[in-house]
Amino acid sequence: MLDKKKYKKKRSCKPKFIGAAAAATAIGAGIFATRIRNLKKEDTELWDDVAGVYGLKSAINRKTYNKLRELIKEDIEDDMKVLEIATATGDIARDLSDSCGYIIASDFSEAMIKKAKSKGTPQNLMWDIQDAACLTYPDESFNAVIIVDALHAVQYPEEILDQAKRVLKKDGILIAPNHIAMGGLAESVKGGTKEFFGFDTYNEWNYEEYIDFIASNGWNILKEEFIAGSVSMAYVMAEKS
């Protein structure tokens, strides 16, 4: 079992509150999943407000997300311990649960996790509220970390990649698909609409820039693929360098 005092001492981020362990029998295996609440309300309230309709994102972009799921399932093995960061309403985690040993799906929005739970929870899936830049999991806990289309929406994506690196086992993999900038009028309209509703895009990469961004943050690229669609994405799988 995790020594909480030792673990907190070695972390640079200091949570205001750490709760009790929340692990189901099916997904024990030594993972001590705790909750962190070191975020201000304004950091999460926008995402809380859209939790009820967030699932429309994958429905509207069905072709892209179906291809995305296929690629992830190709790279996930049935005995893997998986962490998904920024799970939102959990559609991807739920779909992947039959392809891995177990999966912990985390998000910093309590409302998103509540919505995810309401849509069903497979036996080997656990939901958790976590700040992705300050994860509370022990070092080298997971075989795979998945971050789908989230790095552009955070101010310091490098911090999230550092946390992913810390919690991954030595031979673990990062799967980090993200939408990419293609230019043109349609994309400008989408971007303007998102800004109107308060959704910040802190980072914008084209395909090559995004691959370079992952590599420059200490990752060896193992696989990359362009996914075309109404939202174009760069699929990236990498390992710690």
Side-chain angles (χ1 to χ4, degrees):
M1 181 175 288
L2 175 66
D3 182 339
K4 289 194 287 184
K5 291 183 179 180
K6 180 179 179 181
Y7 185 54
K8 286 176 67 179
K9 184 177 180 181
K10 67 187 277 189
R11 296 301 316 283
S12 59
C13 50
K14 296 180 179 180
K16 294 180 179 178
F17 171 78
I18 291 184
T25 302
I27 56 174
I31 296 297
F32 190 90
T34 60
R35 285 169 168 72
I36 187 168
R37 302 302 300 143
N38 67 344
L39 296 167
K40 298 177 182 178
K41 186 178 187 299
E42 56 265 29
D43 293 329
T44 61
E45 61 184 4
L46 179 62
W47 299 100
D48 288 345
D49 289 344
V50 300
V53 296
Y54 191 82
L56 292 174
K57 178 181 177 180
S58 57
I60 294 172
N61 303 296
R62 185 181 304 276
K63 181 179 178 181
T64 298
Y65 276 84
N66 284 346
K67 178 62 176 178
L68 186 61
R69 289 182 174 94
E70 289 177 12
L71 290 172
I72 296 175
K73 286 188 174 185
E74 288 177 5
D75 296 326
I76 295 295
E77 298 177 4
D78 58 12
D79 61 344
M80 280 185 167
K81 303 170 186 177
V82 179
L83 170 66
E84 186 188 15
I85 292 171
T87 190
T89 55
D91 294 334
I92 288 177
R94 199 177 293 104
D95 189 52
L96 293 178
S97 63
D98 62 357
S99 301
C100 62
Y102 72 78
I103 182 167
I104 296 178
S106 67
D107 200 279
F108 76 165
S109 167
E110 190 169 354
M112 287 288 192
I113 293 297
K114 182 178 180 180
K115 180 64 177 179
K117 289 179 178 178
S118 74
K119 298 170 77 172
T121 305
Q123 188 178 20
N124 67 331
L125 169 61
M126 190 187 82
W127 310 106
D128 203 10
I129 300 169
Q130 291 274 336
D131 174 1
C134 192
L135 297 175
T136 64
Y137 306 112
D139 295 353
E140 299 186 12
S141 296
F142 301 96
N143 303 107
V145 172
I146 299 171
I147 312 169
V148 175
D149 203 25
L151 293 177
H152 65 282
V154 294
Q155 194 166 2
Y156 303 108
E158 299 87 353
E159 294 181 357
I160 296 178
L161 292 178
D162 285 345
Q163 285 294 297
K165 192 180 299 182
R166 181 184 66 76
V167 301
L168 272 175
K169 294 179 181 294
K170 292 180 179 179
D171 59 348
I173 59 171
L174 170 73
I175 298 175
N178 208 88
H179 87 262
I180 55 173
M182 298 295 291
L185 178 61
E187 186 162 309
S188 296
V189 171
K190 287 181 182 178
T193 302
K194 288 170 64 178
E195 289 181 10
F196 177 80
F197 285 103
F199 292 95
D200 291 320
T201 298
Y202 290 103
N203 308 282
E204 188 171 279
W205 302 282
N206 62 30
Y207 184 86
E208 292 79 12
E209 289 170 343
Y210 183 65
I211 303 301
D212 289 344
F213 168 74
I214 299 296
S216 67
N217 277 276
W219 299 89
N220 293 323
I221 306 299
L222 301 177
K223 178 178 179 179
E224 61 176 89
E225 184 167 336
F226 174 76
I227 305 175
S230 54
V231 173
S232 297
M233 301 187 77
Y235 180 87
V236 179
M237 182 180 72
E239 64 181 359
K240 295 187 282 189
S241 60

